[in-house]
Amino acid sequence: MQKSKLSPYNITLISGKEWLVVFFILCTILCVRLALEYRAYLALPFETPAEIQAQIINQYQKTKNDKPYWVLKLNASGHIFYTTSKEDLKFLQGRFVRVYGKINGKDKCSFFDYLRSCFFINFSFSLLPQQEITKPIKDYIVSQHTNKQNASLFTTLFFADTLHYSWREVSNLLGLAHILAISGFHLGILSLALFVVLAPMYRLLQRRFFSYRNEAYDLGAIILVLLFLYLVVLDFVPSFLRAYTMAVFGFLLYFSGLQIFSFKLLGLVGLSCIALFPSALFNIGFILSMFGVLYIFLFVRYFPKCNPLLYALCFNLAIFFSITPIVHYFFPYFSPYQLVSIPVSLAFVVYFPLMIGLHIIGFGGLSDSLLDRVLLLDIPSINYYLPLVPTFLYSALTFGAIFSKKLYGIMLLCALGFYGFLYAKFLGYLP
């Protein structure tokens, strides 16, 4: 007997006064988490030097007074610290270290700074013998590439490592940051790829042993478990954490026959992430991923159904223009070539799982020649930061669009106008 994969129900998850209970619970969780974080903040070595153990997640060189020095970005129990060294260091990214030093006063590192990042004055540091669990896998990936730039690209795509500066520059100028930084886009592609791989095996067993079970429920649960293991490997990267939390919420709602497509669900996911991980509120990747999903919801809600190819084109264009003002509050880079990110995004749906498969069998370097050509591109660009007040007004218009189709239309016109403004500055028509 054919089993239905879709629930016939579409019940609202939370309504009316129930939101007061939800807000109370989330506020309680947030207060507890902030209290724990503040306790850890007070334990930092502000006056008396002490040791911290951390992992070096980025390492790059700067120059001051014609003298080079290293900047090290450290991850200590989920918190970010920066420190410097004038020693002639080897490449230590990914290594664990014991750092002896202090923070130069609470005025240099407030509690809110602590939730983002603080500078740690190190007097000495030493390498620890422990290594990343994923180091053998990363070494296997690196061995398949002829240069460290391309190797860095794939360790970033697969493990959220810090991207090599050459690829970071290209991604900024071509608007590819959302593709290269692990987020909900990657979660969606991985979910689809896992479903394609697991579904034939499941159906074969289902016909013989458990024809009464629901394929969507079983495979959905299995895929979420596999993605959680991946989330642990990524050390709970905020943007992927948001996407995974939303996927879990969506699956539970789907399983329970409740409404899935809902702005309330998005708000609940965002608030839950902030309550459990307060530092997410200061994470740019998390903020941009939340806005990205919000613009997707707005498009799906208001744009009429039409030819699939036309709908896909309009979808990508609308999301691209909608999020541009928000992106330019955090990042200044603009180039008209950023429109290439739309076809690249479509191609990436195939390219990402394909490269995972090729790296597994040892042929990950097949696309290196193409990637080398991309790195050699001379991409003209300008820099422009959108000021706080216009960003706030555009954000307010975005949230207002949740309740009004007219406001959504006005928001899109503002986004297009801002893109036109950037293009005019690029051509030199505006100062």
Side-chain angles (χ1 to χ4, degrees):
M1 182 177 178
Q2 181 66 34
K3 302 295 181 182
S4 173
K5 297 180 182 179
L6 299 176
S7 170
Y9 307 108
N10 197 29
I11 305 169
T12 302
L13 172 63
I14 302 171
S15 60
K17 296 181 179 180
E18 294 174 350
W19 275 103
L20 296 176
V21 178
V22 172
F23 280 126
F24 175 77
I25 294 173
L26 292 178
C27 286
T28 301
I29 296 174
L30 178 61
C31 289
V32 172
R33 289 289 293 123
L34 287 175
L36 294 173
E37 293 285 5
Y38 191 69
R39 181 180 178 182
Y41 166 73
L42 294 177
L44 292 176
F46 291 107
E47 304 298 336
T48 305
E51 289 184 348
I52 63 169
Q53 292 189 14
Q55 182 184 20
I56 300 174
I57 58 176
N58 196 10
Q59 176 183 352
Y60 53 92
Q61 203 167 38
K62 282 191 171 184
T63 302
K64 184 177 182 180
N65 298 327
D66 296 326
K67 294 182 179 179
Y69 65 95
W70 289 102
V71 178
L72 304 176
K73 184 179 181 181
L74 309 175
N75 183 349
S77 301
H79 291 282
I80 302 300
F81 295 94
Y82 286 88
T83 191
T84 58
S85 175
K86 295 181 180 179
E87 298 181 26
D88 184 19
L89 300 178
K90 296 180 179 179
F91 185 70
L92 301 175
Q93 186 172 313
R95 295 296 301 272
F96 290 87
V97 293
R98 181 186 292 114
V99 186
Y100 179 75
K102 69 174 186 176
I103 295 173
N104 194 18
K106 293 184 179 180
D107 58 324
K108 300 292 185 180
C109 179
S110 67
F111 178 60
F112 289 107
D113 290 329
Y114 170 69
L115 294 176
R116 291 177 293 183
S117 64
C118 287
F119 185 79
F120 192 88
I121 304 173
N122 83 81
F123 302 138
S124 65
F125 72 90
S126 56
L127 294 176
L128 294 173
Q130 68 190 95
Q131 294 184 347
E132 291 179 290
I133 299 176
T134 57
K135 187 178 186 304
I137 304 175
K138 290 180 181 179
D139 290 342
Y140 178 62
I141 291 172
V142 171
S143 68
Q144 298 177 42
H145 298 278
T146 55
N147 59 59
K148 63 180 181 181
Q149 292 96 328
N150 292 338
S152 169
L153 174 65
F154 290 102
T155 56
T156 299
L157 282 175
F158 301 154
F159 297 102
D161 279 5
T162 301
L163 188 62
H164 190 275
Y165 71 91
S166 57
W167 268 110
R168 188 161 60 245
E169 183 178 2
V170 170
S171 70
N172 288 331
L173 297 179
L174 292 181
L176 302 178
H178 69 289
I179 295 176
L180 302 185
I182 290 182
S183 64
F185 184 42
H186 301 76
L187 182 141
I189 296 174
L190 289 173
S191 299
L192 177 61
L194 287 171
F195 184 85
V196 170
V197 171
L198 295 175
M201 294 184 287
Y202 178 89
R203 290 168 185 167
L204 184 64
L205 296 173
Q206 183 189 40
R207 292 191 191 99
R208 185 168 182 179
F209 299 108
F210 40 81
S211 59
Y212 55 89
R213 295 199 60 85
N214 186 292
E215 174 187 301
Y217 293 164
D218 289 347
L219 288 182
I222 293 171
I223 289 171
L224 285 176
V225 170
L226 295 175
L227 290 176
F228 177 76
L229 297 177
Y230 186 44
L231 179 64
V232 173
V233 170
L234 295 178
D235 197 20
F236 296 89
V237 173
S239 55
F240 196 82
L241 171 65
R242 187 276 311 159
Y244 182 79
T245 304
M246 192 162 188
V248 172
F249 269 97
F251 178 76
L252 293 176
L253 295 181
Y254 172 72
F255 184 80
S256 304
L258 300 173
Q259 187 179 34
I260 299 176
F261 178 78
S262 169
F263 293 101
K264 294 178 181 179
L265 170 62
L266 178 60
L268 181 61
V269 169
L271 293 173
S272 299
C273 288
I274 293 170
L276 293 170
F277 305 94
S279 58
L281 187 59
F282 303 99
N283 185 276
I284 296 175
F286 175 78
I287 294 171
L288 291 179
S289 66
M290 289 296 296
F291 269 102
V293 177
L294 176 57
Y295 290 128
I296 291 173
F297 276 28
L298 287 170
F299 179 87
V300 173
R301 178 172 184 173
Y302 293 124
F303 198 84
K305 301 297 181 182
C306 58
N307 178 276
L309 292 178
L310 177 61
Y311 189 85
L313 177 62
C314 292
F315 173 85
N316 283 279
L317 286 172
I319 305 306
F320 174 85
F321 289 119
S322 295
I323 204 169
T324 295
I326 305 299
V327 170
H328 275 270
Y329 175 75
F330 299 104
F331 304 105
Y333 317 104
F334 172 78
S335 170
Y337 293 96
Q338 288 173 348
L339 284 169
V340 77
S341 64
I342 294 175
V344 170
S345 297
L346 297 174
F348 191 74
V349 175
V350 176
Y351 182 77
F352 184 50
L354 175 63
M355 292 312 298
I356 291 177
L358 288 175
H359 277 89
I360 290 174
I361 62 177
F363 291 93
L366 285 180
S367 64
D368 276 9
S369 58
L370 174 61
L371 297 176
D372 289 338
R373 294 193 191 101
V374 175
L375 286 175
L376 294 175
L377 292 175
D378 183 16
I379 307 167
S381 65
I382 60 169
N383 290 345
Y384 179 80
Y385 280 106
L386 184 64
L388 177 61
V389 173
T391 303
F392 176 80
L393 294 175
Y394 182 77
S395 300
L397 193 59
T398 296
F399 291 115
I402 295 174
F403 309 100
S404 169
K405 186 175 182 179
K406 290 183 179 179
L407 288 180
Y408 179 63
I410 295 172
M411 185 207 78
L412 283 178
L413 289 176
C414 290
L416 288 170
F418 178 67
Y419 186 86
F421 166 79
L422 292 174
Y423 193 69
K425 286 184 71 67
F426 174 81
L427 295 177
Y429 295 145
L430 294 174

